[in-house]
């Protein structure tokens, strides 16, 4: 049993650089997709905010126009 574990640990030590490289690449992909989702959500929120502000501006302009008459 101990030989089996020793061989596996030796294999891990031998390929640790490659394992770390692929682990880092996988982490980078996860972070990139999460960042992309955050940016998409912020863009949607900004578009909704702009639409609300345009509507408010139009309503205020109409009110100002009505009070000037």
């Amino acid at each position: 049993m101990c030989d089996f574990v020793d061989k596996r640990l030796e294999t891990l030590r031998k390929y640790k650089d490659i394992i770390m490289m692929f682990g880092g690449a996988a982490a980078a992909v996860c972070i990139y997709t999460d960042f992309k989702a955050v940016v998409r959500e912020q863009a949607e929120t900004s578009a909704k905010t702009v639409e609300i502000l345009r509507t408010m501006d139009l309503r205020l302009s109409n009110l100002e126009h009505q009070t000037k008459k």
Side-chain angles (χ1 to χ4, degrees), residues 2-16 19:
C2 212
D3 266 351
F4 177 77
V5 174
D6 285 341
K7 287 180 182 181
R8 297 300 171 237
L9 289 175
E10 183 63 34
T11 303
L12 283 176
R13 280 188 214 103
K14 185 177 179 181
Y15 295 110
K16 74 176 181 182
I19 294 169

Side-chain angles (χ1 to χ4, degrees), residues 46-61:
S46 294
K48 290 176 184 176
T49 303
V50 166
E51 186 61 33
I52 291 169
L53 289 174
R54 282 184 189 152
T55 304
M56 288 174 62
D57 186 45
L58 182 62
R59 288 179 181 178
L60 285 172
S61 295

Side-chain angles (χ1 to χ4, degrees), residues 35-50:
F35 180 73
K36 200 165 111 174
V38 167
V39 169
R40 184 183 314 117
E41 184 179 328
Q42 285 180 344
E44 290 172 0
T45 303
S46 294
K48 290 176 184 176
T49 303
V50 166

Side-chain angles (χ1 to χ4, degrees), residues 16-28:
K16 74 176 181 182
D17 295 338
I18 294 172
I19 294 169
M20 291 296 291
M21 181 181 66
F22 282 113

